Amino acid sequence: MLILKAMRLLRVLTNSLLSGLFFAFLLALLVADLNINRQVSAGFFIQVAMHLALIYGLLMAVIVFFGYVIGQFFFGRQARLAFISPSFLSLSLSFVIVVFLVIFKMNERYFSSFFGTAMRSRLLIQMVVLLVLCLLGLACFLGYRRSRKAFVAWAYFVIVGIGLALVLVQRARFPMFQARSGSTPLLGKNVEKRITLVGLEGLSFDFIIPLVGRGKLPNFSWLMDNGNSGKLASFSPTERVSLEASFSTGKLPAEHRVLSGRRYRLWKMKEELEIVPRFILFSQLTRIGYLKIVPFRPVIEVKDIWQILQGNRIPNLDISWPLTPEGRVSGPRAEKQASGLLGDSAFPGDSLFALARTAFLRDWATEEAANEERSTRQPQVFHLRLGGLNAVQAYFYMYSVPQQFGGIPPERIDRYGAVIERYYDYYDGLIGKFLTGLKDDEILVVYSAFGVEPLPLWKRFVERLLGDPELSAYHELAPEGVLFFYGRGIRKARNTEAIRIVDIIPTLLYYLGLPVGRDMDGIVRSSLFSDDFRAINPIIYISSYDDFQIQPAQ
């Protein structure tokens, strides 16, 4: 009897492991789909599937195994199983496909900015094929249990094999990126206008409007009353390098192909991944040493605003990487401002205050170095981007809006509750400096590619269990940021419709009087400008800057 029970468990285990292996195969397909810059080979696919089988395949096998045991317990009858059971596998594979399709759809939606029209059609075919296999599996399960005819099972397994081959073919047909280097000359233009761009990551009207209403943030208030303001729509994932590439090119990641500032390597794999799936705790594999993450700085292969300006011999300065300049030591003035930011309740050894202080000093050092270089080079187009507020909001958000969280000790609210407001005051003062130095032929653009929102309950639980329990806010789902335009020729208005991040560069090219590429995903938001400006400044289009070599104006 014991031997029979052991053999029975072995059969259940064998079928469960086959189901887990099938799940690993599907996850490898998802990994391949997300890494759109990679030409997927059979060797690469097998490596990914085998590595995923050791974690996710085994996990799915355990779920299927206990699902079968629980099902047998409640139904109260023992089904006869073979080592490769058609009824077991047809049902379990259908279950696995359903689970995978949920994960697949969530990732497809989250990474939708990666996929162009051609890729979307391939992804749709993959989902349809898998859904058909799921329905056929259920039909096979019912048909085989009634007829017990082997050809029903074998027909299903053959169809599964054909279906999996078909979804792999769809991935193989993903269009690969091909850099263009056009040689057709394009005569540049002499430009007199000037632009100051200030990117302040994490700005949100959820904070700005209440603070302005209380008489705070006079410079933000000035921009709202005398310039053009509105929400800025972005996309997920909110990877810094990908957003920056979209900002500077006017194109979505599907076109510029800059996806991530990291590279991922699974255990013994030699090849690196650019993107890993979301919503399955993939990044948590770093905790057991199964996944290694290393920083990486990709190169933009399409022409961005800085190359366009360089071709037109327009002096420019881009400080968009928030790195503390080497050798710069914070002085008494910076330390005094940091103390004002943290307040009187700060004390040595407080990790949260240390985080806020580090973020501020990085911003301060970057701003100081940028202003010094700007004074020396006198660029016509200047871009500064700071990320301190974003880092601070992630940890201090709950203390600014404690009613959304509950259970926060009053003394912690008193200690940390004003830090975000003070950081907005710091940024307000920074904007005041740029407003003071603004020239007649210059516009000021202040933007944040994303805002901030509180962590949902499920993510708070995950962070407390596996991540950082102090984390209370994030921007992973691309909450709307802010956008301000101010200067001569700008129409005073508050926009109700959000402008997209890819619209900024086409709009600025139009302001400068330069052509706009028709291949840009962004559009010219001419409504930002006054009627008089639009009347004498028509929009000029070219096919693509990648088709031309800009020749300096005579």
Side-chain angles (χ1 to χ4, degrees), residues 37-75:
N37 290 328
R38 174 178 288 278
Q39 190 74 51
V40 176
S41 64
F44 169 81
F45 190 86
I46 292 172
Q47 280 191 74
V48 174
M50 290 300 99
H51 278 79
L52 296 179
L54 294 178
I55 302 293
Y56 294 100
L58 288 176
L59 178 61
M60 180 55 72
V62 170
I63 293 172
V64 171
F65 181 89
F66 282 102
Y68 175 84
V69 172
I70 294 171
Q72 292 295 298
F73 175 79
F74 281 106
F75 283 108

Side-chain angles (χ1 to χ4, degrees), residues 386-404:
L386 302 176
L389 175 64
N390 181 51
V392 167
Q393 285 182 146
Y395 290 90
F396 287 84
Y397 188 92
M398 71 171 74
Y399 306 112
S400 293
V401 286
Q403 65 276 9
Q404 295 188 25

Side-chain angles (χ1 to χ4, degrees), residues 270-345:
K270 296 181 180 179
E271 297 173 279
E272 294 179 334
L273 304 175
E274 203 170 0
I275 298 294
V276 296
R278 296 296 307 273
F279 313 112
I280 55 173
L281 302 179
F282 203 100
S283 295
Q284 296 298 328
L285 296 179
T286 55
R287 292 178 173 273
I288 58 175
Y290 202 74
L291 179 70
K292 180 181 290 186
I293 305 176
V294 294
F296 179 80
R297 185 168 180 174
V299 177
I300 301 177
E301 299 289 347
V302 299
K303 285 184 179 176
D304 59 13
I305 180 64
W306 313 114
Q307 293 170 294
I308 295 170
L309 296 175
Q310 191 67 33
N312 284 278
R313 299 295 189 266
I314 299 174
N316 62 87
L317 176 61
D318 175 30
I319 310 294
S320 60
W321 289 87
L323 304 174
T324 303
E326 293 183 7
R328 180 173 291 272
V329 179
S330 59
R333 185 161 60 91
E335 293 293 346
K336 182 178 180 180
Q337 283 187 272
S339 298
L341 173 72
L342 302 178
D344 298 332
S345 57

